[in-house]
Amino acid sequence: MKVGAQYESALEGADLVVISPGVPTQLDALNRVRARGVRVIGELELASRFLTAPVVAVTGTNGKSTTVTLIGKFLQESGKRAFVGGNLGIAASEAALASVQAKAGTVAPYEYVVLEVSSFQLETMEQFHPWIASILNVTLDHMDRYASVEDYVAAKANIFANQTAGDYSLFNLDDARVAALRGRTKGTVPGFSRSGATVSGVAGAATTTKSAAATASGRPSRPTSRSGSEPSGSPRPARLQPRSRRALGSRFTARTRIPNWRASRATSRPIDP
């Protein structure tokens, strides 16, 4: 390992360069590496190639740590083995290492991997493929790193780059910059909103506005099926009520559709450096 002024010489014989999110991607040393045909990726991108559980990824300027922690709590309290980390606390490479070290025939270490993802991490994505991805909001930030807010938004939008029809892309429809990205994903697009704006079915679907009464009811939106119609099952609850752990677990089990997730990954790109 070489650090400081000697790090550039260490890049000369590298076959793959993995950088920390805080390292600017356009350093002269890294550009010279790319000119030789060597790929430069980040830790999260490397880790994602070895994860065996579906990934729930959340980004946004504000609120992503709270959201990721809450999702992790929901899963863990429902009896699921969930890893929570990424840009928050434990690096995703720890989950990847646990997956690699798991012995054949044993229970997988995690059923879900819930990650907070930063724009810096998303700059170096190639194969990162979250099953569920969300952008909570985008406000002016990191302008010392990005030439414009458009560049910042583009980095955030990379979270959807590798999603397919079997995935879900959640957009904050009350944030104009976020809502404008709906056409950037191939996944199903269930939006969320406090003002009543909704979007359903496929990427780029039209946005409509619910009545004030429906908005005031606090009624949560349900994901639609891949065909764009409402999924079969029990009617939508008027308000999300506290449930027992057993009931909560059944709700997660009914809606996660892990077999579909695994089927969608059957033809995914190979995991290699």
Side-chain angles (χ1 to χ4, degrees), residues 18-24 41-43 145:
V18 182
I19 63 174
S20 167
V23 176
I41 64 174
E43 176 271 337
R145 172 118 170 183

Side-chain angles (χ1 to χ4, degrees), residues 35-47:
R36 300 201 321 266
V38 176
R39 288 149 62 195
V40 178
I41 64 174
E43 176 271 337
L44 180 58
E45 168 65 20
L46 180 65

Side-chain angles (χ1 to χ4, degrees), residues 92-163:
S93 53
E94 293 291 340
L97 180 61
S99 298
V100 170
Q101 292 179 335
K103 296 181 179 179
T106 62
V107 176
Y110 302 109
E111 295 174 274
Y112 299 90
V113 174
V114 186
L115 300 175
E116 176 186 321
V117 183
S118 71
S119 60
F120 293 1
Q121 291 172 313
L122 289 167
E123 290 175 16
T124 53
M125 292 305 167
E126 292 180 356
Q127 299 180 13
F128 179 63
H129 188 166
W131 173 49
I132 299 175
S134 180
I135 300 181
L136 303 179
N137 49 64
V138 175
T139 58
L140 290 178
D141 199 7
H142 302 304
M143 290 297 102
D144 55 337
R145 172 118 170 183
Y146 299 102
S148 66
V149 67
E150 288 77 18
D151 288 346
Y152 178 44
V153 173
K156 292 288 190 187
N158 283 338
I159 197 170
F160 305 118
N162 294 312
Q163 287 196 296

Side-chain angles (χ1 to χ4, degrees), residues 23 49 89 111 188 210:
V23 176
R49 303 181 186 193
E111 295 174 274
T188 300
K210 293 179 180 179

Side-chain angles (χ1 to χ4, degrees), residues 65-95:
S65 295
T66 301
T67 303
V68 165
T69 301
L70 186 60
I71 293 171
K73 276 291 186 182
F74 284 160
L75 291 169
Q76 291 164 355
E77 288 297 314
S78 67
K80 307 298 183 182
R81 299 186 303 280
F83 172 89
V84 180
N87 193 55
L88 167 72
I90 307 172
S93 53
E94 293 291 340

Side-chain angles (χ1 to χ4, degrees), residues 95-255:
L97 180 61
S99 298
V100 170
Q101 292 179 335
K103 296 181 179 179
T106 62
V107 176
Y110 302 109
E111 295 174 274
Y112 299 90
V113 174
V114 186
L115 300 175
E116 176 186 321
V117 183
S118 71
S119 60
F120 293 1
Q121 291 172 313
L122 289 167
E123 290 175 16
T124 53
M125 292 305 167
E126 292 180 356
Q127 299 180 13
F128 179 63
H129 188 166
W131 173 49
I132 299 175
S134 180
I135 300 181
L136 303 179
N137 49 64
V138 175
T139 58
L140 290 178
D141 199 7
H142 302 304
M143 290 297 102
D144 55 337
R145 172 118 170 183
Y146 299 102
S148 66
V149 67
E150 288 77 18
D151 288 346
Y152 178 44
V153 173
K156 292 288 190 187
N158 283 338
I159 197 170
F160 305 118
N162 294 312
Q163 287 196 296
T164 62
D167 302 316
Y168 292 87
S169 310
L170 277 66
F171 294 84
N172 177 2
L173 301 176
D174 294 334
D175 187 306
R177 293 190 181 101
V178 175
L181 298 174
R182 295 196 308 279
R184 298 282 293 271
T185 180
K186 295 179 181 178
T188 300
V189 185
F192 58 92
S193 168
R194 295 182 66 186
S195 66
T198 62
V199 63
S200 62
V202 298
T207 301
T208 59
T209 304
K210 293 179 180 179
S211 66
T215 302
S217 72
R219 186 174 297 168
S221 298
R222 293 182 66 195
T224 59
S225 67
R226 296 183 193 178
S227 63
S229 60
E230 281 287 329
S232 60
S234 57
R236 181 184 304 175
R239 188 179 298 273
L240 185 63
Q241 299 291 343
R243 305 290 182 116
S244 67
R245 176 175 297 188
R246 178 174 296 179
L248 185 60
S250 66
R251 285 168 61 85
F252 273 109
T253 301
R255 294 188 179 184

